[in-house]
Amino acid sequence: MKGIARGLVYLHEFSPKKYVHGDLKPNNILLGQNMEPHISDFGLGRLANIAGASPTLQSSRMASEKPQERQQKSTTSDTTTVASSTTLGSCYIAPEALKVVKPSQKWDVYSYGVILLEIITGRMPVVLVGSSEMDLVHWIQLCIEEKKPLSEVLDPYLVQDGDRDDEIIAVIKIAMACIQTSPEKRPTMRHVSEALERLAISDV
């Protein structure tokens, strides 16, 4: 996740035009031989526009559908429902991106926050709660409101690292900052990257 953050910082601040990726999701993050991340699919939306398609509008329609409408019930478990990658992709879209507006780097921050939550919780972006479905962002917000114990929120593999609770909570706070409804309240990717780097240094 630190590598993905550094990649987004480059796109946002050091690329010639301070780009917006606009479609960040796990399917677009490739891992190299040493597990180093590579952000892919950048610029494909622009090519689709040239070809006459309208990916922004298409994404808006997908994201505006209710989870029940877009969910393909292929495999289920006690806590998660697995859907096709094309439908799950809408879960990473920032709320304001549903409007046809100029792309913002804060869209990428939101998407990054959702991916970070997936890593922390070990859950898919659509969570099965009883007989209903809820996207991961609303599920984690509900867990915080209900003051659920950390063990019920985390990926079981992380629960075993009981001596790292402070670090895990700090990462959850970073993720929650990224998924703020208001884009103005979200941090920049530079701030996210620096916060993660500080955690790594303090852990050494």
Side-chain angles (χ1 to χ4, degrees):
M1 292 307 295
K2 289 191 296 180
I4 298 166
R6 286 194 295 268
L8 287 173
V9 170
Y10 177 81
L11 275 181
H12 289 182
E13 298 192 18
F14 298 103
S15 58
K17 295 186 178 180
K18 300 188 185 304
Y19 291 112
V20 176
H21 187 285
D23 191 26
L24 188 70
K25 54 190 175 186
N27 285 1
N28 291 340
I29 299 166
L30 310 178
L31 297 177
Q33 290 184 345
N34 298 315
M35 298 298 288
E36 71 278 8
H38 301 271
I39 300 172
S40 68
D41 276 11
F42 171 66
L44 291 186
R46 193 172 292 107
L47 290 174
N49 275 327
I50 294 170
S54 182
T56 304
L57 290 173
Q58 184 180 8
S59 297
S60 299
R61 283 196 295 272
M62 285 175 57
S64 64
E65 293 174 353
K66 295 178 181 178
Q68 291 88 341
E69 293 172 349
R70 54 180 157 81
Q71 187 72 8
Q72 295 181 358
K73 297 191 178 350
S74 54
T75 307
T76 59
S77 67
D78 290 338
T79 55
T80 63
T81 301
V82 180
S84 71
S85 59
T86 53
T87 57
L88 288 179
S90 59
C91 297
Y92 303 95
I93 299 173
E96 71 276 9
L98 300 180
K99 306 167 188 174
V100 183
V101 295
K102 183 180 179 182
S104 165
Q105 293 179 348
K106 294 302 179 75
W107 294 7
D108 292 342
V109 177
Y110 183 92
S111 301
Y112 181 88
V114 178
I115 297 170
L116 189 54
L117 284 177
E118 278 190 85
I119 296 291
I120 295 167
T121 64
R123 288 172 166 81
M124 297 290 284
V126 176
V127 181
L128 187 64
V129 182
S131 59
S132 61
E133 293 167 350
M134 183 181 297
D135 65 65
L136 183 57
V137 168
H138 289 99
W139 178 81
I140 194 76
Q141 291 169 340
L142 184 65
C143 288
I144 291 171
E145 288 173 11
E146 295 180 351
K147 298 181 179 179
K148 297 266 188 183
L150 201 57
S151 59
E152 291 185 24
V153 176
L154 295 180
D155 183 314
Y157 289 103
L158 292 178
V159 175
Q160 299 170 15
D161 289 336
D163 57 336
R164 303 181 72 179
D165 281 359
D166 290 345
E167 182 181 349
I168 291 169
I169 290 170
V171 175
I172 291 174
K173 287 180 178 179
I174 292 170
M176 296 305 295
C178 291
I179 60 166
Q180 288 284 329
T181 303
S182 171
E184 291 78 17
K185 292 182 179 179
R186 294 174 207 149
T188 63
M189 282 311 306
R190 176 189 283 273
H191 287 141
V192 171
S193 181
E194 289 175 349
L196 290 174
E197 293 293 345
R198 282 195 297 272
L199 280 175
I201 292 171
S202 65
D203 192 46
V204 174

